[in-house]
Amino acid sequence: MVEAVNVIGRGRVGSAVAARLAERGVSLREDDAELVLVCVPDRAIAEVAASIERGPWVAHVSGATPLAALDPHERRFSLHPLQTFTLSRGPEQLDGAWAAVTGETEEARELARSLAETLGLRPFDLADEMRTLYHAGAAFASTYLVTLFQVASRLFADAGAPPEALVPLMTRTIENGFQLTGPIVRGDWAVVDAHLGALHDAHPDLEPMYRLLAEATSA
């Protein structure tokens, strides 16, 4: 593991990463760092990378951006913490999460794995050409989970039920290993049709989403 890192970008991910590195005794400095870790939005990675003088290792923490964005640097890799972050919490957000590491050489992959372990992450190798597919899966699991909660909350609010009551339900679904329950599993298609009828009358914009999810669930 490197002894000095320059963390560029202190947003949700960068602040947690920098705090964890400091906890683990890694020096955080801008000059003479062995590794420059780019923690900026995807659209800014290439510009930032191009501004870094060649010499040290350069890496980014994006899940979707290819290594080519780090041109012209050849000593490069990526490490994507597979976790959602908030500025209201600290480096403990990294604990136990997985991390996708991508490198073009074994040396790069070894350094990425070592960095992941220092951060408290569980590394796994990811091919550069598979990044977009991988990141789409992450979006289904995280971003669209928020979307589903927001949709369910709208329906609960309209029905006079407390949206916050959904949280224990969603949490227990995860704790139960994502075991399917509900009318589709029971083959109770009359209930599914009733859902569709209610959505058609009250929220027609949500009917196509329900149909798609029902089809995917029953496939």
Side-chain angles (χ1 to χ4, degrees):
M1 177 56 197
V2 296
E3 296 181 357
V5 178
N6 178 10
V7 179
I8 298 179
R10 299 297 176 90
R12 289 177 295 176
V13 178
S15 60
V17 166
R20 174 51 52 84
L21 291 174
E23 282 183 350
R24 299 291 163 88
V26 177
S27 175
L28 299 175
R29 60 174 184 252
E30 294 183 8
D31 299 323
D32 300 321
E34 301 162 79
L35 167 65
V36 180
L37 194 57
V38 179
C39 302
V40 301
D42 289 36
R43 62 183 180 277
I45 291 175
E47 180 180 355
V48 171
S51 71
I52 299 170
E53 292 188 9
R54 298 180 68 170
W57 283 94
V58 178
H60 68 60
V61 296
S62 167
T65 302
L67 291 176
L70 296 176
D71 286 346
H73 304 280
E74 296 179 357
R75 302 175 73 214
R76 64 193 186 185
F77 64 86
S78 71
L79 184 156
H80 177 243
L82 188 55
Q83 185 57 283
T84 181
F85 293 87
T86 174
L87 286 172
S88 63
R89 300 181 62 191
E92 74 280 358
Q93 297 176 89
L94 294 158
D95 292 337
W98 293 74
V101 299
T102 303
E104 294 157 312
T105 65
E106 185 56 32
E107 183 183 13
R109 289 187 290 273
E110 286 182 0
L111 181 56
R113 295 183 200 116
S114 177
L115 176 61
E117 291 166 358
T118 298
L119 293 172
L121 299 166
R122 303 169 63 184
F124 63 92
D125 291 347
L126 179 69
D128 200 38
E129 64 271 17
M130 293 290 102
R131 303 180 69 86
T132 304
L133 190 63
Y134 152 80
H135 201 254
F140 268 106
S142 181
T143 305
Y144 299 148
L145 178 65
V146 176
T147 303
L148 290 173
F149 175 74
Q150 292 172 339
V151 168
S153 294
R154 284 175 59 190
L155 300 181
F156 259 48
D158 285 358
E164 58 269 24
L166 291 162
V167 176
L169 173 64
M170 298 178 77
T171 302
R172 183 59 54 83
T173 300
I174 295 172
E175 293 172 346
N176 286 349
F178 299 97
Q179 294 182 40
L180 280 173
T181 60
I184 291 177
V185 175
R186 297 190 297 268
D188 200 343
W189 299 108
V191 172
V192 174
D193 288 341
H195 290 173
L196 288 168
L199 290 173
H200 179 78
D201 293 339
H203 291 280
D205 59 311
L206 298 179
E207 184 182 354
M209 177 188 292
Y210 187 99
R211 287 187 182 277
L212 284 172
L213 292 173
E215 290 173 3
T217 301
S218 61

